[in-house]
Each structure stands twice: as C-alpha cells, then as structure tokens.
Amino acid sequence: MQVDARRKIVIVILALLLCGGLLVLHQEGQRPAPTAVEAPRVESASIKSAALDRAAVEQLLPSLATAKWTRYDPLAVVRAAEDRSETINWPEHIGGKFTLRTNNLGFREDERTVFGPPHGTDLRVLVLGDSHTFGLVANGETFPNLLEKRLAPKLKFRRCEVLNAGVSGTGPFEQRALLGVLLDMQPQLVLCVLYTGNDFINAQAFSDFETRRARTPLPRDAQKRFEVAREDPSMRARMAQNTSQVHTFTYCKGEAEAALLATTQCYREMAEYCAERGARLMVAILPPKEEVDLTDLSLLQPVRGALRLCDDDFAVDRRLAERFAEVLRADGIEVVDLLPALLQPGLLGRRRPLYWTSDQHLAVDGHAVVATALEQPVLAALRDLRGKR
C-alpha cells in the first residue's frame, strides 16, 4: 500500500511539472519577436535615468522643485519647460530687456520642432548644454541660433538646422540622459558644451548618488564660511557659477579627480550612443568668467575673501579642462576649447563684456564669440558628414 501511495505522489508531481512546462511554452509563444535593430546603449541610458525618481532628482538639484524653466522628466531626468515665454528686465542688455522663449519641445527656438527625423532639412545639429547654452539672452542671440545663421551661406545644400536643446541647471549626467531621448530625432552632429565652472561637480554628484561613493567632507570651518556666504544674495549667483566647485575641490582633497573621472565617463558614453545611431559627437569647452573677463574683478573679490580662495585655487578649472580634453581626444572625440577665442581681443570689432556682471552667464557678445569660434569646426564636420552620405 505504501508503494502505491508513493507512485501516485510521483505521478501527480510529474503531471504538475508537465503542465507548468506547457504553460511556459505557451507564454513564450505569446511574446513579441525581438526587433531587428537594437540600440543597447541608448536603452541602457533610458533605464538608468528612469531609476531616478522625482524625489531623487530634487535631492540632487534642490532648485528644480521651484524652477520656472525646467521640469522633471522620468527618462531625460530634467528638461526645459515647453511653450513658455517671458520678457526679462535686464539692465545690462543693450535693450534693457529681452524675451526668453521655449518652443513645443522646450528648445530655445521660435518655431515649433517636430519630434522625429529631419524634414526638409539636409543636416541637423543638436546642441546640448546647461544655462549658458540655453541662454540668458533672446532666442536669436543664443550661440546655436547665431551658428545656424553663420553656416547657412557656406553650405551648398538646402538647409542646416541647429537646435538649441540646452537645459538650465544641468550637467553631463542629465545631458547624457536627454541625449538618449533626443537621438530619435536623428541628428547627424551632436554638439555638447561642457561648462567648466560647475559641470564637473554636477557629474560627480550624480555619479556619487549612483555608486554610493562617500564624498570627502568639508572641514567644519570651511563649511561654516560657505553657509554664511551663501546667505548673501550678492554672492549666491557667483558661487553657483564657479566658486562653489572651486571651494569643494580646494578643501576636499581627491574630489577633483573623482569629478574628472565621472565627467569623462559621461562623454565617452555619449560618444558611444551617437556612434550607434550614426551620429558624431563634438564637445566644446566653455570656461567661466574668471578665466576670461575680469573687468569687474572687484565684484568677485568679496566671495573669494569670504571663502578664503586665491587665484591658484581657481586654476583647478583650467587644469581639469585640459586633462578632460586630452582624454577625449585620445578616444577620437573632437574637442573645441573656446578659451582662446574668448580671450582674443577685438574678435567682434568691439569689446563689450562677454559675461554678464550680475550673474556671470554668457552675455550677448559672449554668445557671438562662441558662435564664431564654433563655425569652422562645425562646418568641417558637416562637410565631412555630407561627403559620406
């Protein structure tokens, strides 16, 4: 009797296993066939950024919670707010004000942009960057718009479109995520602008959040001086554009190296994304005001004194920029350093400030110089791409 009972149990188990196997086969038959064309790196970028929920992003970028011109995006992390327009009173601007406007995709363009492949355009250039690229000037005064106008008479085909997809407050990590989304627009050339004043520390912050790397803490006295200076409205904007990064790298040994590694990794991955989609990546290095325009140095001294920083401390940005360029060029990525052009006197036939005094963003003439400096490298890249089509 015991043997019969055991046999029945074995038969029941085998039957259950057989039914389970048939069910799995049935479910496998219901799955859609894999697509013929895959872009694994782009997909991985989307998956990585999707893991950052709104709370995580706002922890890393506290200003996002109340920002007017940017918004959280589950795939792109941060995007510029769409279809916004506002006239900004700006005494430093020659007209005393300018209109800041975004289109349906959040680009700094007056016309709507169709999300998809180029239509009626031979070549498309996608420009990524932070608030200096987004621009604290009118749409037509931003360097991507000026670059498009400069390229038009020199290209012997119908049209070259240069799209300003800059997003204020972002850095390499967020731009990498945004690129993973915008590559569906099939740009032939992606121009990404690294602002050396704060992009290194931005990339480091997101990298540390992902890897759970323990950051070297600020000494208590340096932290106290930083908190006091940040409470002064006249210092806050200047600290955000450059001084906060310099302060961290000065007092926290090893952090500059970690930031450089995180930044170069982002751009290497962006180059891979582009290559997989048949596009080319070009990187422009934009220096902060302290390296270019010292006409109002007296206004910068208070924050330097409050944080006990000297000229040698601020040289870290240039050292990182040069090493960044060296690494990327060794990987075959084209890099354009904008510092020589910004230092060239009389490039535009006049010498107004290249950066706004009030908050250290690129001014109207600064955008014009950047567009002029980028014209030849971009033109050469487009002609090369055109010849390979």
Side-chain angles (χ1 to χ4, degrees), residues 52-80:
L52 288 174
D53 59 18
R54 183 189 298 271
V57 176
E58 290 183 355
Q59 177 183 336
L60 290 160
L61 302 173
S63 62
L64 184 64
T66 57
K68 295 173 58 177
W69 291 94
T70 52
R71 65 173 180 82
Y72 167 75
D73 185 276
L75 291 180
V77 181
V78 181
R79 298 192 70 163

Side-chain angles (χ1 to χ4, degrees), residues 45-46 48-49 52 60-61 75-78 127-133 165-182 190-208 210 215 245 249 256 258-271 273-274 281-286 320-321 324 328:
S46 298
K48 182 181 292 185
S49 62
L52 288 174
L60 290 160
L61 302 173
L75 291 180
V77 181
V78 181
V127 185
L128 303 177
D130 66 358
S131 52
H132 290 269
T133 300
V167 182
S168 295
T170 62
F173 184 98
E174 305 96 296
Q175 290 155 27
R176 180 186 63 181
L178 180 60
L179 176 63
V181 175
L182 296 183
V190 175
L191 173 61
C192 201
V193 182
L194 173 78
Y195 174 63
T196 62
N198 55 30
D199 277 359
F200 289 113
I201 203 166
N202 176 285
Q204 179 195 20
F206 277 90
S207 176
D208 288 351
E210 282 192 322
R215 177 179 294 188
Q245 177 175 276
F249 293 163
L260 177 63
L261 180 62
T263 303
T264 53
Q265 181 61 24
C266 279
Y267 282 93
R268 281 171 162 166
E269 292 182 6
M270 281 191 269
Y273 300 168
C274 289
L281 178 71
M282 178 183 292
V283 180
I285 296 177
L286 177 66
L320 290 174
F324 169 81
L328 262 62

Side-chain angles (χ1 to χ4, degrees), residues 4 8 113 119 147 204 210 217 231 234 316 344 358:
D4 290 340
K8 289 180 180 179
T113 303
H119 178 69
L147 179 61
Q204 179 195 20
E210 282 192 322
E231 292 301 314
S234 66
V316 67
Q344 184 176 341
S358 54

Side-chain angles (χ1 to χ4, degrees), residues 231-279:
E231 292 301 314
D232 186 336
S234 66
M235 295 186 185
R236 192 177 301 126
R238 296 178 178 87
M239 290 172 66
Q241 285 305 309
N242 181 216
T243 313
S244 292
Q245 177 175 276
V246 172
H247 183 258
T248 298
F249 293 163
T250 299
Y251 288 100
C252 301
K253 302 305 179 185
E255 293 305 297
E257 291 293 327
L260 177 63
L261 180 62
T263 303
T264 53
Q265 181 61 24
C266 279
Y267 282 93
R268 281 171 162 166
E269 292 182 6
M270 281 191 269
E272 292 177 12
Y273 300 168
C274 289
E276 289 166 359
R277 293 295 191 92

Side-chain angles (χ1 to χ4, degrees), residues 47-188:
I47 292 170
K48 182 181 292 185
S49 62
L52 288 174
D53 59 18
R54 183 189 298 271
V57 176
E58 290 183 355
Q59 177 183 336
L60 290 160
L61 302 173
S63 62
L64 184 64
T66 57
K68 295 173 58 177
W69 291 94
T70 52
R71 65 173 180 82
Y72 167 75
D73 185 276
L75 291 180
V77 181
V78 181
R79 298 192 70 163
E82 300 89 343
D83 292 318
R84 288 190 61 87
S85 180
E86 182 178 345
T87 298
I88 310 292
N89 291 320
W90 202 261
E92 290 186 72
H93 194 279
I94 192 170
K97 59 184 178 181
F98 61 87
T99 298
L100 200 159
R101 180 181 297 111
T102 59
N103 73 359
N104 60 303
L105 295 183
F107 298 163
R108 285 299 307 274
E109 306 291 337
D110 291 325
E111 299 178 356
R112 295 179 63 81
T113 303
V114 176
F115 187 87
H119 178 69
T121 299
D122 290 279
L123 288 176
R124 170 176 280 171
V125 180
L126 180 67
V127 185
L128 303 177
D130 66 358
S131 52
H132 290 269
T133 300
F134 182 79
L136 203 58
V137 293
N139 283 11
E141 296 169 333
T142 66
F143 72 81
N145 279 269
L146 295 173
L147 179 61
E148 181 177 292
K149 293 174 183 177
R150 295 186 69 89
L151 293 172
K154 297 180 175 62
L155 294 169
K156 296 180 180 179
F157 38 87
R158 186 166 50 189
R159 187 186 177 201
C160 173
E161 182 179 47
V162 182
L163 296 173
N164 184 350
V167 182
S168 295
T170 62
F173 184 98
E174 305 96 296
Q175 290 155 27
R176 180 186 63 181
L178 180 60
L179 176 63
V181 175
L182 296 183
L183 276 174
D184 282 341
M185 299 184 68
Q186 299 180 17
Q188 287 84 6

